[in-house]
Amino acid sequence: MSLDVKYRTEAQASGGGRDGITKLASGMLTLTMNSPKELGGSGKGHNPEELFAMGYAACFLSAMRFVAQAEKLGTVPESATVDAQVAIGGLPEGGFGLAVKLVAKMPGLERDTAEAILARAHELCPYSNATRGNIDVTLELA
C-alpha cells in the first residue's frame, strides 16, 4: 500500500511503557501512564486503551461528518456523538488482543440515513481501516 501522507505526528514513551510517561514530540501533551487495576496496575494514570478509545471516537465522528457531506446523505447534527468502548484481553493462541464497540448517536436523522452514514464511515475511517481484519469492531446506532 502506498500512502499519500498528509500529516505526521510523533510520540515517545519512556519509563516502564504502561507504567511510565508518554509525550508528544510537539510538547503539547504529556501523560503519566499506568496499567488499570484489572491488569495489575494502580489505575492512577492513563493507559493505551483509553488513548485508543479517544482517538477512534474522534476520528470516527469526523468520518461520519465527511461521509454525510461528501455523499449528500444529510448533515450529521452538532449534537452527534461516538462512544468508543475498547476492551483488552488474552487471546486463545497467546498474547493480547483488543475489541472495540462504537456506539453512534445522530439525533434528528432518519434511522436509514444514520445507518448508511455509520456503515460508510466504517469503510473510510483510518482507525477502522487499521483495525479491519485484526480486531473485532462492533457498530451500534443508539
Side-chain angles (χ1 to χ4, degrees), residues 93-119:
E93 61 273 13
F96 294 91
L98 299 174
V100 174
K101 181 177 181 181
L102 299 173
V103 181
K105 297 175 186 166
M106 291 180 262
L109 281 182
E110 295 289 328
R111 186 158 190 91
D112 288 350
T113 301
E115 286 175 348
I117 291 170
L118 187 67

Side-chain angles (χ1 to χ4, degrees), residues 33-52:
M33 304 297 284
N34 189 259
S35 293
K37 290 180 182 181
E38 296 85 348
L39 295 179
S42 72
K44 294 188 179 190
H46 297 284
N47 61 69
E49 293 72 35
E50 289 176 328
L51 303 179
F52 184 71

Side-chain angles (χ1 to χ4, degrees), residues 19-67:
D19 295 301
I21 301 292
T22 300
K23 62 184 177 181
L24 293 177
S26 68
M28 297 288 291
L29 181 64
T30 299
L31 296 172
T32 299
M33 304 297 284
N34 189 259
S35 293
K37 290 180 182 181
E38 296 85 348
L39 295 179
S42 72
K44 294 188 179 190
H46 297 284
N47 61 69
E49 293 72 35
E50 289 176 328
L51 303 179
F52 184 71
M54 292 172 73
Y56 205 160
C59 191
F60 199 85
L61 180 56
S62 291
M64 287 171 21
R65 292 188 188 289
F66 175 82
V67 163

Side-chain angles (χ1 to χ4, degrees), residues 10-22:
E10 184 178 341
Q12 180 186 73
S14 61
R18 283 185 169 273
D19 295 301
I21 301 292
T22 300

